[in-house]
Amino acid sequence: PDPKASLKVLKTVVNTLTIQKVVKNAIIKQIDAAETAFSKGVPKAADGILKGLVKQLQNYPKIIINPADAQALIQIIETIRALLV
């Protein structure tokens, strides 16, 4: 699969989640930054951004994001990260 297409799918999934708009926007911004880095031919930077996003998702309190939703996003992100290297 194409990492760029996968990042777009990830954004779509994030938009379907019932989470605070501020949190949703922060996650989307990071996905956008990873997309930009990948488009500029810097997959390592994109991977670093996604790695940071995984850490954030792991540390969000469950009041901010449902742990099952966070885990689903992490799995998608890890799959994308595997495509980048």
Side-chain angles (χ1 to χ4, degrees):
D2 171 28
K4 236 179 148 167
S6 299
L7 287 165
K8 283 193 188 336
V9 169
L10 176 59
K11 273 202 285 199
T12 304
V13 171
V14 170
N15 278 317
T16 66
L17 297 178
T18 310
I19 53 177
Q20 296 173 16
K21 192 174 172 74
V22 177
V23 175
K24 193 179 284 191
N25 289 344
I27 294 171
I28 296 285
K29 275 192 175 133
Q30 290 184 353
I31 298 168
D32 284 341
E35 263 183 322
T36 301
F38 183 74
S39 294
K40 289 183 175 178
V42 195
K44 266 194 162 140
D47 181 58
I49 293 164
L50 294 175
K51 184 177 179 182
L53 182 53
V54 166
K55 288 231 180 296
Q56 274 185 308
L57 288 166
Q58 289 168 335
N59 293 318
Y60 274 138
K62 62 181 171 206
I63 192 168
I64 291 186
I65 185 168
N66 178 320
D69 289 343
Q71 193 53 47
L73 290 178
I74 289 168
Q75 287 179 317
I76 295 168
I77 293 167
E78 293 297 359
T79 302
I80 294 169
R81 286 185 66 208
L83 298 173
L84 292 173
V85 285

